[in-house]
């Protein structure tokens, strides 16, 4: 198995909790966010490597009809259990009847449990972590314990998990119909550890250029990959400029893949609204959309004012199994992203 030695600087760069939280035990969820479905643990093994993953089967699920599959990818120091608690995707799955999978980063691959989004081997189809996670998705699709709609398979992540979601959308557009990006990085924003560290305090490369790079990485599988991006303006771990870069680069990549989409100007979205999250002490946020010639949003960017590095609209932090990277005062990243996903079926 490939391993990477990460210095303390990187761990601190991606998590304000530092080394101590890497080995803390995440408590079993209890309380109002527990759902009566079933969480099962699996291990995927393929030519690119192996990873553990959890699958949540919602309460009352039957295989009578095909349902969506959503992969939720955690960030540094997180686990499948903690990101499930943060996002409350299991509760939404109970309500909407779909399958949720949570890939787990190995401590051997990265001692901070960060996905290695900044390494070349983990940025290409057929190798490294993209191949492993896509393999997990395909394994679930083909498992008769579930009836998965392959045209409605999606991926969403937070932080380094969001960066990996971008990579998966670009390298496996034939597997993932759309992507959700929470406080992440554009495709190949960095290709070295030093480059990743530098972007903790500054911007990445030209997003228009990276959009072309992303399109080239799609190869013969190139197609429109709709993207929804959430980012807090007060993010102290991944500066908010990276959310803008993801938005621009995915708009450019999609315009190259689909001539019905031409609006790639970040400053002239097709629509913009500003409102307050409908929760106590809710943040003000803006939601911008860049749409195709038929008026259908292809890329959306939610800017949450004054929010730090967190799953927006998630569970209260450090309660019932949640970690610190969640903020209930924002608009629901989970609910809004899932609705965006349902509007985007691969091949439709």
């Amino acid at each position: 198995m490939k391993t990477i030695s990460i210095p303390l600087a990187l761990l601190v760069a991606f998590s304000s909790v530092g080394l101590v939280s890497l080995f803390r035990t995440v408590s079993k969820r209890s309380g109002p966010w527990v759902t009566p479905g079933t969480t099962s643990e699996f291990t995927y093994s393929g030519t690119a490597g192996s990873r553990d993953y959890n699958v949540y089967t919602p309460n009352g699920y039957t295989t009578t009809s095909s349902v969506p599959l959503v992969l939720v990818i955690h960030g540094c120091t997180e686990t499948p259990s903690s990101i499930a608690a943060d996002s409350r995707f299991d509760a939404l799955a109970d309500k909407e009847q779909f399958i949720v999978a949570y890939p787990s980063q190995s401590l051997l691959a990265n001692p901070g449990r960060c996905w290695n989004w900044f390494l070349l081997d983990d940025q290409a189809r057929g190798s490294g972590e993209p191949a492993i996670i896509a393999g997990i998705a395909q394994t679930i699709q083909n498992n008769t314990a579930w009836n998965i709609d392959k045209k409605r398979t999606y991926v969403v992540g937070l932080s380094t998990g969001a960066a990996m979601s971008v990579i998966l959308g670009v390298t496996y557009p034939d597997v993932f119909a759309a992507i959700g990006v929470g406080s992440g990085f554009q495709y190949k924003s960095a290709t070295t550890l030093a480059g990743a560290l530098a972007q903790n305090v500054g911007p990445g490369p030209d997003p228009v250029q990276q959009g072309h790079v992303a399109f080239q990485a799609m190869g013969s599988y190139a197609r429109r990959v709709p993207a929804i991006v959430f980012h807090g303006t007060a993010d102290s771990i991944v500066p908010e400029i990276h959310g803008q870069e993801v938005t621009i680069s995915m708009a450019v990549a999609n315009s190259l893949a689909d001539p019905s989409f031409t609006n790639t100007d970040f400053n002239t979205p097709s629509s913009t609204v500003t409102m307050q999250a409908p929760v106590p002490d809710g943040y003000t946020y803006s939601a911008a959309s860049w749409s195709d010639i038929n008026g259908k949003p292809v890329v959306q960017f939610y800017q949450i004012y004054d929010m730090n590095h967190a799953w927006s609209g998630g569970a209260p932090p450090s309660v019932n199994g949640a970690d610190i990277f969640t903020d209930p005062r924002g608009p629901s990243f989970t609910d809004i992203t899932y609705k965006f996903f349902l509007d985007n079926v691969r091949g439709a």
Side-chain angles (χ1 to χ4, degrees):
M1 176 183 293
K2 178 189 66 179
T3 62
I4 178 170
S5 176
I6 305 295
L8 178 60
L10 181 62
L11 301 180
V12 173
F14 286 106
S15 170
S16 60
V17 296
L19 280 170
V20 173
S21 67
L22 299 184
F23 305 105
R24 73 179 178 87
T25 300
V26 177
S27 60
K28 186 176 181 180
R29 284 177 290 152
S30 60
W33 299 289
V34 163
T35 54
T38 303
T39 296
S40 304
E41 298 178 351
F42 299 88
T43 298
Y44 168 83
S45 294
T47 57
S50 64
R51 292 293 187 280
D52 295 334
Y53 64 98
N54 291 355
V55 177
Y56 181 77
T57 304
N59 182 47
Y61 172 76
T62 69
T63 58
T64 304
S65 59
S66 62
V67 299
L69 167 65
V70 178
L71 270 66
V72 182
I73 307 184
H74 66 75
C76 295
T77 78
E78 296 186 309
T79 66
S81 295
S82 70
I83 197 72
D86 291 352
S87 66
R88 298 191 280 201
F89 249 112
D90 293 356
L92 183 62
D94 277 342
K95 178 182 177 183
E96 300 291 341
Q97 290 295 291
F98 61 94
I99 302 300
V100 194
Y102 301 92
S104 179
Q105 179 60 303
S106 164
L107 285 170
L108 293 176
N110 187 298
R113 292 195 186 277
C114 309
W115 297 94
N116 295 313
W117 63 275
F118 50 86
L119 297 180
L120 285 171
D121 285 349
D122 297 303
Q123 297 175 336
R125 184 184 182 94
S127 70
E129 291 169 358
I132 294 169
I133 298 172
I136 290 172
Q138 292 167 322
T139 297
I140 298 169
Q141 288 175 339
N142 295 325
N143 190 322
T144 56
W146 306 286
N147 183 357
I148 302 298
D149 185 344
K150 294 182 180 181
K151 293 184 177 181
R152 292 189 293 164
T153 295
Y154 309 97
V155 61
V156 58
L158 179 70
S159 194
T160 64
M164 188 53 64
S165 296
V166 171
I167 292 170
L168 288 163
V170 168
T171 58
Y172 287 92
D174 53 322
V175 175
F176 299 102
I179 62 174
V181 186
S183 303
F185 296 92
Q186 65 182 329
Y187 182 66
K188 286 193 174 181
S189 191
T191 55
T192 65
L193 176 58
L197 289 170
Q199 290 180 42
N200 240 32
V201 294
D206 175 16
V208 174
Q209 168 189 301
Q210 296 311 110
H212 283 265
V213 173
F215 172 69
Q216 291 168 2
M218 291 181 178
S220 61
Y221 301 97
R223 53 166 285 272
R224 178 195 293 193
V225 179
I228 184 167
V229 182
F230 271 57
H231 217 117
T233 62
D235 196 319
S236 60
I237 295 176
V238 180
E240 187 262 340
I241 185 63
H242 292 287
Q244 298 181 32
E245 291 172 353
V246 172
T247 302
I248 296 167
S249 61
M250 288 306 300
V252 170
N254 281 317
S255 72
L256 295 170
D258 184 351
S260 72
F261 177 66
T262 59
N263 185 6
T264 62
D265 186 348
F266 183 80
N267 296 313
T268 58
S270 304
S271 66
T272 306
V273 296
T274 300
M275 59 191 75
Q276 186 173 14
V279 294
D281 197 28
Y283 292 121
T284 299
Y285 68 95
S286 64
S289 296
W290 289 261
S291 302
D292 65 15
I293 58 175
N294 299 311
K296 184 176 182 178
V298 177
V299 180
Q300 293 188 319
F301 181 42
Y302 281 70
Q303 250 180 331
I304 303 93
Y305 300 106
D306 299 321
M307 189 180 78
N308 206 323
H309 192 70
W311 190 285
S312 180
S318 303
V319 175
N320 297 319
D323 55 46
I324 66 170
F325 299 114
T326 173
D327 194 330
R329 293 173 292 171
S332 175
F333 185 32
T334 298
D335 292 348
I336 295 169
T337 295
Y338 187 67
K339 183 178 184 300
F340 180 83
F341 284 169
L342 291 185
D343 289 338
N344 290 284
V345 178
R346 182 168 57 82

